[in-house]
Amino acid sequence: MMIQKKTLKALALAALVSASGGLGLVGCAQTKYKGTDEAASGQASAWVRINQLGYTPSGIKVAVWVSKGQEKLRRFELVDASTDKVVFKGEAGEAFGAYGPFTESYRLNFTSFTAPGTYYIKAGGATSPVFRVAADVYEGTADFTLRYMRQQRSGFNPYLKDSCHVHDGYTMYGPMPDSTLIDVSGGWHDASDYLQYSTTSANATYHLLAAYRDFPDVFGDDHQDNGLEGSNGVADVLDEAKWGLTWLTKMHPREDWLFNQLADDRDHQGLRLPTKDDVDYGMGPGKARPVYFVTGEPQGLGKYKNRATGAASTAGKFASAFALGAQIYSGKDEALADLYSKKAQSAYKLGLAKPGVAQTAPNRAPYFYEEDNWVDDMQLGAAALHQLTGDQTYFTQAYTYGLQEKVTPWMGADTARHYQWYPFHNFGHYELAKKADEAKKAELLGFYKEGIERVYAKAKKNAFYRGVPFIWCSNNLTTSFAIQSYLYRTLSGDETYAELEQANIDWLFGANPWGTSMVFGLPDHGDTPEDPHSALTFLHQMPLDGGLVDGPVYGSIYKNLIGIKLEQPDEYAAFQSDLVVYHDDFGDYSTNEPTMDGTASLIYLLAAKEHSAREGAQAKK
């Protein structure tokens, strides 16, 4: 049984706001405004897309007007939702023309309006959903998104209050005999299936650790280290990061052992809760799953194989997560700090010994994470080790790696293979620039700027400022691009791309062709995913609070994917196009499946936004 959709039009929501005195911040989605009732009946031909979280008083504030008609837009009005009085009038500005299903589009900029309150926009016969302008629109969002990370835990799962995959795993491709049992239980399930990857887990762990390091003020302490409710004197984000670090230590149990993957696509044999996983990987139903040793050579136990060439892509990610973990636990837990320091150095040595990529292993299907770059991983690992140890050798190596890949290759490209250029932004330039002299700092920030410019060259041609390609997991790229833009802006002081940065955040929360947030349950008063590709929601109506879904894909990609069949009529049919599609439907695993690593990146981004909003509000006092 699918979760039933609910709709709530803007005027009804305005009445709710007036009656309740304000909008709720975060929580499981309760009321929806799909905006497609009018589209389906032919009563509307224009829409105003907004960031449903709202806008900060001192921040950039832009909505997007789109139309299927030929009319031009000259001006728009901002209306106080509590009084229905116009409080701001603005010029529509440049006509961007056709995009996706629309024939005309405009960016509606009301950044100069700074008064807190609850509003809606009227433009060209269209009315936006109600939204807030307030300093606290991002308050609690990072902690809310952590809910999904806890729900993804393998081993003991605090959401289900039960354990799963406790028999993992048995080795393949290693120096030990195949099928040797080894304890690699724990970690996070990668997405709505139950595979687990070192690459995505280490990247997620780094983002969580960096969020705690950079924005400790925004996180609460409402959960214990096992994920159950209750304070333990440690920020919840650090508890979650430690869960990742603990699993990574199991996947790098000895100086010369490194594992890349737990389970494979034999997982895809039907819907079940992780605690009811009875897939047989050759050890019996529900027993041990295979854990793949990093060999630096192609792997795949079935029909398909990857194109692995080395170990550095995985080893560098391990090194960066462990090195940052050692920095953070220094002074908190010296035994852990020492352990993570040793793990960081041994993982980095493995990367030096085997340059190249360690891609994930397919089995029955041709899909795998096709990572083709690795110097960015080694750069970040070396930069983190330099910060940890002060050894200038690491700085020199990190800088040399950085010169080999100045710009993450997907930036400016129209397409890429699945996870071909991963992580989707290079934290290494930023971490190195913080410790560099002025000349090298400017050079490293210049690499960030070049990547941003490549995206901006495409983005400035459409009203959504969309320059990120619509490949699988496009929302992950969008989040990473916003993070890179933030890192560049904060370290350089250059505000040139601030509107582009915000446009990517706005896209994730509703300023997109479909008018929907891409994060389950966030905000609680808006249109957010309800039918993600997940057994938890499909079978048991369990919310995936905080989960960032994959996001829109090119129509050409969607049409050629295997095994996609929509379970319900498409409520966004009016907004699909040959260019790009998104479906809030269980059957579309390409656009509506949440991912653990994308969500972890989003936690960093939302923490940055919450922290910045607090600083802005404090500065006004």
Side-chain angles (χ1 to χ4, degrees), residues 256-271:
D256 56 344
W257 285 13
L258 190 66
F259 292 93
N260 200 48
Q261 175 176 329
L262 177 56
D264 54 43
D265 58 32
R266 283 173 284 182
D267 169 277
H268 302 162
Q269 295 185 29
L271 296 175

Side-chain angles (χ1 to χ4, degrees), residues 7-204:
T7 58
L8 185 66
K9 295 184 178 67
L11 292 179
L13 183 57
L16 173 64
V17 172
S18 178
S20 64
L23 292 171
L25 174 61
V26 293
C28 182
Q30 298 295 325
T31 54
K32 304 293 174 192
Y33 49 85
K34 289 291 180 189
T36 53
D37 295 342
E38 299 94 333
S41 63
Q43 296 176 4
S45 62
W47 299 265
V48 179
R49 302 311 197 194
I50 58 156
N51 181 332
Q52 296 177 38
L53 283 176
Y55 304 85
T56 60
S58 60
I60 291 170
K61 294 178 280 292
V62 177
V64 179
W65 183 88
V66 290
S67 173
K68 292 192 171 185
Q70 300 296 326
E71 68 270 30
K72 300 296 183 181
L73 189 67
R74 294 185 177 181
R75 59 185 61 88
F76 67 96
E77 297 177 335
L78 184 67
V79 183
D80 188 318
S82 63
T83 64
D84 288 330
K85 292 183 178 179
V86 175
V87 295
F88 177 86
K89 294 183 179 180
E91 297 296 323
E94 177 185 359
F96 282 88
Y99 186 80
F102 308 113
T103 56
E104 193 57 89
S105 54
Y106 291 79
R107 290 180 66 77
L108 313 180
N109 194 317
F110 55 106
T111 299
S112 61
F113 184 84
T114 61
T118 305
Y119 306 97
Y120 58 90
I121 289 173
K122 296 183 68 175
T127 300
S128 79
V130 173
F131 58 87
R132 290 195 304 147
V133 174
D136 66 349
V137 293
Y138 292 100
E139 196 77 18
T141 56
D143 264 336
F144 178 82
T145 312
L146 273 171
R147 295 185 190 183
Y148 182 71
M149 299 300 293
R150 285 190 291 271
Q151 192 178 55
Q152 288 297 103
R153 287 192 183 190
S154 186
F156 178 71
N157 185 292
Y159 181 81
L160 298 172
K161 295 182 173 62
D162 199 355
S163 295
C164 62
H165 302 128
V166 295
H167 303 293
D168 291 331
Y170 69 86
T171 64
M172 296 301 298
Y173 293 104
M176 69 294 291
D178 282 349
S179 301
T180 297
L181 294 177
I182 182 174
D183 177 17
V184 288
S185 61
W188 299 292
H189 302 126
D190 195 59
S192 292
D193 52 27
Y194 304 131
L195 284 77
Q196 297 178 228
Y197 301 123
S198 295
T199 51
T200 54
S201 295
N203 184 43

Side-chain angles (χ1 to χ4, degrees), residues 410-547:
W410 72 259
M411 294 185 182
D414 292 320
T415 189
R417 294 192 296 274
H418 189 46
Y419 277 62
Q420 183 178 7
W421 313 115
Y422 183 76
F424 300 121
H425 75 278
N426 182 359
F427 243 123
H429 290 333
Y430 172 76
E431 300 294 356
L432 205 57
K434 290 192 301 184
K435 299 294 184 179
D437 59 36
E438 287 303 314
K440 284 188 171 62
K441 176 181 177 181
E443 184 179 27
L444 291 161
L445 291 177
F447 301 158
Y448 269 172
K449 182 176 181 178
E450 183 179 347
I452 295 169
E453 274 285 354
R454 290 182 186 181
V455 173
Y456 184 52
K458 297 178 180 295
K460 64 185 179 182
K461 297 178 181 179
N462 65 81
F464 290 105
Y465 269 22
R466 186 69 184 174
V468 175
F470 292 113
I471 59 175
W472 213 343
C473 295
S474 65
N475 282 343
N476 295 13
L477 274 67
T478 301
T479 302
S480 275
F481 180 75
I483 291 174
Q484 176 164 317
S485 300
Y486 168 83
L487 296 176
Y488 169 76
R489 179 172 56 84
T490 54
L491 206 54
S492 69
D494 182 1
E495 296 285 333
T496 303
Y497 309 103
E499 186 174 340
L500 176 63
E501 173 190 332
Q502 187 61 47
N504 279 271
I505 298 167
D506 294 343
W507 173 279
L508 293 174
F509 291 101
N512 54 56
W514 308 271
T516 181
S517 167
M518 298 290 174
V519 184
F520 194 103
L522 189 63
D524 65 353
H525 58 270
D527 174 7
T528 79
E530 290 180 320
D531 298 326
H533 186 76
S534 168
L536 274 70
T537 50
F538 188 78
L539 296 178
H540 303 283
Q541 295 78 54
M542 297 175 179
L544 307 186
D545 285 351

